[in-house]
Amino acid sequence: MDSMPTATGPRAGEAGGERGREVPLRPTNPMVTPLLTDLYQFTMAYAYWKAGKHQDRAVFDLYFRKNPFGGEYTVFGGLDECIRFIATFKFEVDDISFLRSVMPTCEDGFFEYLKAIDCKDVEVYAIPEGSVVFPKIPMMRIEGPVAVVQLLETPFINLVNYASLVTTNAARHRLVSGKSKTLLEFGLRRAQGPDGGMSASRYCYMGGFDATSNVAAGRMFGIPLRGTHSHAFVSSYMGPDEITDKALRRRDGSSTCQDFVSLVQSWLSKIQWASSFVGTFDETNQSELAAFTSYALAFPNSFLALVDTYDVMKSGVPNFCAVALALSDLGYKAIGIRLDSGDLAYLSTEARKFFCAIEEEFGVLGFGKMSITASNDLNEETIDALNKQGHEIDAFGIGTYLVTCYAQAALGCVFKLVEINKQPRIKLSEDVTKVSIPCKKRCYRLYGRDGYPLVDIMTGDNEPPPKVGERILCRHPFNESKRAYVVPQHVEELLKCYWPGNSDKTSAELPSLKKSRDRCLQHLAQMRPDHMRRLNPTPYKVSVSAKLYDYIHFLWLNEAPVGELQ
């Protein structure tokens, strides 16, 4: 496709990099094509075309109605992939042939129309990816020919829904863990298929995780990789005789220890007979010691051992310490241990005491600060419980509950028509939460004197923007009694143009994954704590201007049928 649209966008491995020259954008997943949509999008497109309405200029809002996980905030993800999708939106010959086969009664002219369309007449406005967002505020506003934009509905919702849900889940785990803890995403094996695994790694990193075990995601998105060994590695060893190459060169290269295995055994003996450890443990598991020694020989600069295959305190931790002390003799510094079962609070505390005793007994500076990583089906609740119990864990490896969003299946994004041919449209419902907010809108975040966001407000597209220091009336969209005056100290316009189509508007730069992650962490830090707490969080206020409020209710009365009692 010689005329393929381009934009300043991401490339493989650019999580921590900066944007370079303009490059063609393609969806990360090759399955994301114009056919990745619901059949009724095509049936509606045909009906629009047959009625001559397909070129009507429409405005749609993509938003959600309720924050997930019982919280009062959401983190927006998926914008990058939406832009990649529309940048290459084009029906191939095979696509058209397939559509002809499933829509045999449609006229040939319709398929010729489909063959010719792209997204050059579409404009996309969005809140920057990684931002904290709230219900009813459009995360994206899409403008363009109604038939084309209708075809974008399902793929856009698909690309945003899970991305925002898992980013929010990751952000919640970051908040409950605290800034100082390292968070590792270990969910690939439990994710819903390869795409679920790749998306989870990407958006968990955006939501504040530090690294992933997913090698493919590390390559594609530039996410730091972390991982050590499994129980199978430990149990595969029968004893030290299986280690054939026992030599290990000192870290500075000055000499070589010809029998690292014996050095480890001598350190284990010293620990056993040291006054600090008499009666603490007897004989450790020698096959485990062999496995640890073998792994240290392979990775002397990054030795981290899984210590719960047999017994954590009577075997795993002493064996680890013997290997770590032997490495220290040769100028290396071990990383630490991983706990994957048992009472994590108790075991981490006992392991820390053991490390501190080693440091004091043998004078190895910093040994007491060995890293302790915990895994084993962790989630928000278990980390919160660990915090309340008290623990010595430095890093959490989290998988199943994180990547599957076990606590909530979906975010529930919707894609609603709010204007067509400059005429506002509204969707009514007996459930007021499902009533849409009509017309093309501008959205602002208003900040108070203490620097915290106070309220998000939607206004009509032609209304003057809120001004710093000027009082503005903020109204609940549907509840007449909920209203408040706000004097903002800072005003932030939320929607930026990320795909200008053929218009002369300037396109905002798509940030790197690392920058979206930084934005997420910055937004989490600047929100008022009571909005972010796990239990009984304070709802964040979402409002409309007085003028938009009046127009919503005028349109509501105009469109709602009048009943008749008999």
Side-chain angles (χ1 to χ4, degrees):
M1 293 169 59
D2 296 333
S3 60
M4 181 169 59
T6 62
T8 306
R11 294 172 296 219
E14 274 200 342
E18 297 300 320
R19 295 302 186 213
R21 59 182 175 81
E22 288 192 344
V23 295
L25 299 178
R26 294 187 182 279
T28 301
N29 186 337
M31 292 179 68
V32 180
T33 72
L35 291 187
L36 187 71
T37 192
D38 296 305
L39 179 61
Y40 83 162
Q41 308 293 7
F42 286 108
T43 60
M44 285 189 288
Y46 178 65
Y48 285 136
W49 177 84
K50 192 164 178 60
K53 280 179 59 68
H54 56 293
Q55 296 291 359
D56 287 6
R57 191 77 181 175
V59 180
F60 286 80
D61 286 346
L62 191 157
Y63 61 96
F64 60 95
R65 297 183 177 116
K66 186 178 181 181
N67 287 304
F69 308 115
E72 288 296 340
Y73 67 93
T74 301
V75 182
F76 176 36
L79 172 63
D80 185 280
E81 287 298 321
C82 290
I83 300 302
R84 287 171 174 265
F85 174 59
I86 61 174
T88 54
F89 186 94
K90 196 73 179 172
F91 288 98
E92 303 294 339
V93 173
D94 289 349
D95 298 337
I96 299 297
S97 298
F98 177 74
L99 289 171
R100 284 181 185 273
S101 72
V102 296
M103 302 174 70
T105 62
C106 295
E107 299 173 32
D108 288 344
F110 172 65
F111 298 107
E112 293 302 314
Y113 159 71
L114 289 181
K115 195 184 298 184
I117 63 173
D118 53 30
C119 288
K120 290 178 181 175
D121 291 329
V122 173
E123 297 173 32
V124 175
Y125 301 79
I127 297 175
E129 195 162 10
S131 298
V132 170
V133 292
F134 301 98
K136 290 202 173 291
I137 296 290
M139 293 185 287
M140 299 176 67
R141 186 180 80 219
I142 303 92
E143 305 175 24
V146 64
V148 177
V149 179
Q150 198 80 70
L151 292 173
L152 301 177
E153 174 181 2
T154 301
F156 270 25
I157 290 176
N158 178 273
L159 293 169
V160 168
N161 200 352
Y162 176 72
S164 299
L165 187 71
V166 75
T167 305
T168 305
N169 203 16
R172 292 180 65 86
H173 282 79
R174 167 51 69 195
L175 286 178
V176 75
S177 302
K179 294 179 182 178
S180 64
K181 304 302 180 187
T182 299
L183 293 185
L184 312 172
E185 177 268 309
F186 285 171
L188 178 59
R189 64 184 59 196
R190 302 287 167 77
Q192 284 97 337
D195 186 56
M198 293 295 286
S199 296
S201 298
R202 177 184 189 174
Y203 295 113
C204 285
Y205 182 72
M206 184 188 295
F209 272 59
D210 298 289
T212 180
S213 64
N214 183 344
V215 178
R219 179 186 181 185
M220 181 169 287
F221 304 121
I223 303 170
L225 289 170
R226 290 282 289 275
T228 53
H229 61 78
S230 68
H231 295 106
F233 180 83
V234 177
S235 59
S236 71
Y237 281 80
M238 303 299 291
D241 293 344
E242 293 181 81
I243 302 174
T244 54
D245 185 358
K246 303 178 182 181
L248 181 61
R249 194 168 182 79
R250 293 185 62 88
R251 190 171 186 275
D252 62 9
S254 61
S255 62
T256 298
C257 171
Q258 297 299 329
D259 192 350
F260 183 68
V261 175
S262 293
L263 182 59
V264 169
Q265 291 281 6
S266 69
W267 268 113
L268 182 61
S269 180
K270 289 177 187 177
I271 297 170
Q272 285 174 317
W273 293 105
S275 58
S276 302
F277 305 105
V278 171
T280 304
F281 65 96
D282 298 315
E283 288 295 320
T284 64
N285 187 294
Q286 291 299 293
S287 62
E288 179 183 62
L289 183 64
F292 288 178
T293 304
S294 177
Y295 201 80
L297 283 165
F299 298 101
N301 285 302
S302 56
F303 175 58
L304 191 151
L306 177 60
V307 296
D308 67 338
T309 303
Y310 301 111
D311 187 292
V312 173
M313 296 310 302
K314 293 182 179 179
S315 182
V317 168
N319 279 339
F320 164 79
C321 289
V323 176
L325 288 166
L327 286 171
S328 181
D329 277 354
L330 302 181
Y332 299 99
K333 181 171 172 51
I335 302 297
I337 64 171
R338 178 162 72 94
L339 301 168
D340 192 47
S341 61
D343 185 335
L344 298 178
Y346 170 78
L347 291 172
S348 66
T349 302
E350 291 302 304
R352 180 70 67 207
K353 290 177 184 176
F354 203 101
F355 296 154
C356 290
I358 290 282
E359 179 173 350
E360 187 174 342
E361 180 76 32
F362 300 109
V364 181
L365 196 64
F367 202 98
K369 294 181 180 178
M370 282 286 176
S371 176
I372 300 174
T373 300
S375 48
N376 185 31
D377 276 345
L378 297 177
N379 57 33
E380 237 189 299
E381 287 71 28
T382 54
I383 294 173
D384 188 44
L386 285 167
N387 291 340
K388 290 171 181 174
Q389 293 171 55
H391 64 84
E392 287 292 332
I393 298 166
D394 302 294
F396 294 104
I398 310 172
T400 305
Y401 288 93
L402 174 68
V403 304
T404 64
C405 296
Y406 189 87
Q408 180 160 333
L411 178 58
C413 292
V414 294
F415 194 91
K416 296 299 179 185
L417 177 70
V418 296
E419 184 177 288
I420 191 159
N421 293 333
K422 300 189 182 297
Q423 296 300 308
R425 307 308 298 150
I426 188 170
K427 188 264 181 190
L428 300 180
S429 172
E430 291 183 7
D431 180 355
V432 72
T433 63
K434 293 191 173 183
V435 176
S436 63
I437 297 177
C439 82
K440 182 176 173 179
K441 298 173 288 292
R442 298 177 76 174
C443 305
Y444 304 90
R445 185 158 293 170
L446 309 184
Y447 292 77
R449 286 193 180 90
D450 55 8
Y452 292 128
L454 294 175
V455 61
D456 284 6
I457 186 170
M458 292 173 273
T459 71
D461 187 50
N462 295 320
E463 287 188 60
K467 294 181 180 178
V468 171
E470 289 190 10
R471 192 168 73 156
I472 181 172
L473 179 62
C474 300
R475 303 204 61 167
H476 187 283
F478 308 117
N479 190 323
E480 187 175 9
S481 65
K482 290 186 176 181
R483 52 188 179 170
Y485 283 107
V486 175
V487 180
Q489 303 304 303
H490 171 62
V491 177
E492 177 188 6
E493 183 159 11
L494 297 178
L495 294 170
K496 303 178 187 301
C497 180
Y498 283 96
W499 184 261
N502 283 330
S503 73
D504 57 1
K505 294 169 184 169
T506 303
S507 175
E509 185 176 317
L510 282 169
S512 66
L513 178 58
K514 175 64 166 59
K515 284 185 177 180
S516 293
R517 180 181 186 273
D518 292 344
R519 171 180 286 276
C520 174
L521 294 175
Q522 176 194 347
H523 273 217
L524 294 174
Q526 75 180 17
M527 294 301 298
R528 213 170 65 201
D530 59 307
H531 295 308
M532 315 302 282
R533 64 191 178 206
R534 287 191 65 247
L535 295 177
N536 301 316
T538 303
Y540 182 81
K541 292 177 176 60
V542 172
S543 67
V544 297
S545 66
K547 187 174 180 180
L548 182 54
Y549 175 88
D550 290 340
Y551 195 76
I552 291 169
H553 291 267
F554 165 78
L555 202 60
W556 193 337
L557 292 174
N558 245 24
E559 296 289 342
V562 179
E564 184 173 326
L565 300 178
Q566 295 185 13

